[in-house]
Every structure is written in C-alpha cells, then in structure tokens.
Amino acid sequence: MLILYLTKRVDMEIKRLIAFALFVIIDSTFALARENEKRTFIYPRIGCNVSFYDNTNAGLDESSTMKHDRKTSGNMGFEVGLDAEHYFNRYIGISIGAYYSYKRKSEGDFTDEYDDVKYVMRNSKTTFHSICFPVLAMINIKTWRNSSLAFKGGLQIETLLSANNKNTQYDYYKDDGQWKLKDNGVQQVDGSTTGAYHKMSLLIPVGLCYRLGHLSLDARYNLGLTRQYRYINQSKHQKGLTVLVGYGITI
C-alpha cells in the first residue's frame, strides 16, 4: 500500500511538473509572438512649436545698408497633423507623418538709413504657414506594463506655403542735416515675404515619445540642414522644438 501511495504521489508530481513545463513553454511562445507581432497605428496629434529664427529683416538682401541683427529669437506656434506608425516587432518601427505648421518670428525694430531718406520699422513680426512631412525610425528604449518610452529620429521635409510680415513703418527725409518725418510718413505695412525664404527645407528631428495606453507625448528637436533665407548667405540654419500629444488608433 505504501509503495502504491508513493507511486501515485510521484505520478501526480510528475504530471504537475509536466503541466508547469507546458505552461512555461506556451507562455514563452506567446511572449515571443508578442515580440515579433507587427502593429500599425494612426496617431492624430496636436501641439506647440518653438522656432528659432535669425532676428533679421529677410526682405532686404546683404547689399542693404541696414545692419542685420544676428540674434536668434524663439517664438511659439502650433502644429496639427497625424503619424502612421508601423512596428515590425516590439522594439523597432517606422513613422511617416504629415503636419500643418504655424510659426512666428518677432524681429523687433529696424532702421534702414541712406543719404537723404531713412526708414524705421517698428514691431516687425513674420508668420509662416508650412506643411511638414517627418519620416522617423522608432526604437523602444523601455517598456512597462501599460506604457513605453521610444527614441525617434529621421528626416523631415518642410514646404513653405506662405510667409507674411507686419510692421509699422516711419519714413523720414533729411532737411538741413535733420531727420524729419514725411507727411503721411507713418504706415502699417502688411505684405508677403514668402520669396525671401527657401521654399523647401530639410531638418533632422530627434526626440523621445512616451506612451501611456493610447495616449502619447512626443518631444522633438529639429535641427535644420538648410539655411533660413535665400538672399542672406550667412543666415543661421533653421531649428526648433516641437511638443505633441496624440491618441493612437489601431488599424
């Protein structure tokens, strides 16, 4: 009887061991499948940007007598669009996006002086409307139960739709060595400066994306490969920071 009892006991323990081993194998198989699972998402996103432009009146070329101020200013705008993201496995993916971008530049005050006339422009501001197409590689850095942190980096093509400048202009003339304001010499200037900027720009966006469930928070630094202005060879490269929030839709 004792031998029979021990035999049944050993048999039961072996069955439990086999069942546990099967559980481990099945769980590992599903885990491996999850790691190799291909996933595709659409992320509508909206957020803000901070763009850094030379604090220069781009409507004037380098032959102008105006002294260009090379100080770079940061101004806030916004962006809205979507990304299509495809993961080849749990760790590596690609993102292709399309965004409308609104940017601003505050240029401040300028004086353009000649022998007999002088133009003073105050509170000069330029707005930009663009379409951006980022193509980014994605690498998961860390994954938790319901969240993850990923690195993003790639190339962005930016197409300028329009640029518009507004300022208050004061026109002066010289009389006996003194500057005098012309009659009706104060005017509100509002016009296009699209031609002063490159129509197509290339940037390298790099940053991080934190996901919590379907929500995501993207922070990207955009390093420009092209200069800002067409007629100012010494202008700085375009650069800026973009922060976006989005909601993932599985397709």
Side-chain angles (χ1 to χ4, degrees), residues 88-239:
F88 302 103
N89 51 48
R90 289 183 64 187
Y91 304 102
I92 299 175
I94 188 171
S95 172
I96 300 176
Y99 285 84
Y100 164 75
S101 175
Y102 171 82
K103 297 177 181 178
R104 298 187 305 113
K105 179 181 70 162
S106 296
E107 297 151 322
D109 301 339
F110 294 90
T111 300
D112 194 17
E113 184 174 327
Y114 299 90
D115 292 337
D116 299 320
V117 293
K118 179 173 70 171
Y119 306 100
V120 178
M121 288 155 279
R122 300 192 183 279
N123 196 28
S124 179
K125 296 180 179 180
T126 302
T127 56
F128 305 88
H129 302 270
S130 305
I131 299 294
C132 305
F133 302 96
V135 180
L136 308 173
M138 303 183 297
I139 301 175
N140 270 352
I141 300 174
K142 182 68 175 179
T143 301
W144 296 274
R145 180 178 180 181
N146 194 36
S147 60
S148 64
L149 181 67
F151 167 82
K152 287 186 174 182
L155 184 68
Q156 178 170 299
I157 300 174
E158 186 168 320
T159 302
L160 178 64
L161 300 177
S162 66
N164 192 79
N165 176 264
K166 293 182 178 181
N167 65 76
T168 303
Q169 181 172 309
Y170 299 79
D171 299 341
Y172 292 86
Y173 68 96
K174 185 170 285 188
D175 183 18
D176 292 332
Q178 301 293 322
W179 290 113
K180 295 184 178 180
L181 186 65
K182 293 182 180 179
D183 294 336
N184 300 320
V186 180
Q187 55 183 319
Q188 299 296 322
V189 178
D190 185 351
S192 173
T193 55
T194 306
Y197 299 89
H198 288 290
K199 188 71 173 179
M200 191 80 66
S201 301
L202 293 177
L203 303 97
I204 298 178
V206 293
L208 297 173
C209 176
Y210 176 73
R211 295 185 179 89
L212 178 62
H214 290 279
L215 298 176
S216 75
L217 175 64
D218 270 43
R220 307 172 188 175
Y221 180 77
N222 303 307
L223 178 63
L225 298 177
T226 52
R227 298 189 183 277
Q228 297 173 14
Y229 310 117
R230 293 176 59 187
Y231 306 119
I232 304 177
N233 295 328
Q234 296 178 358
S235 66
K236 294 187 175 74
H237 289 80
Q238 184 179 343
K239 57 185 177 180

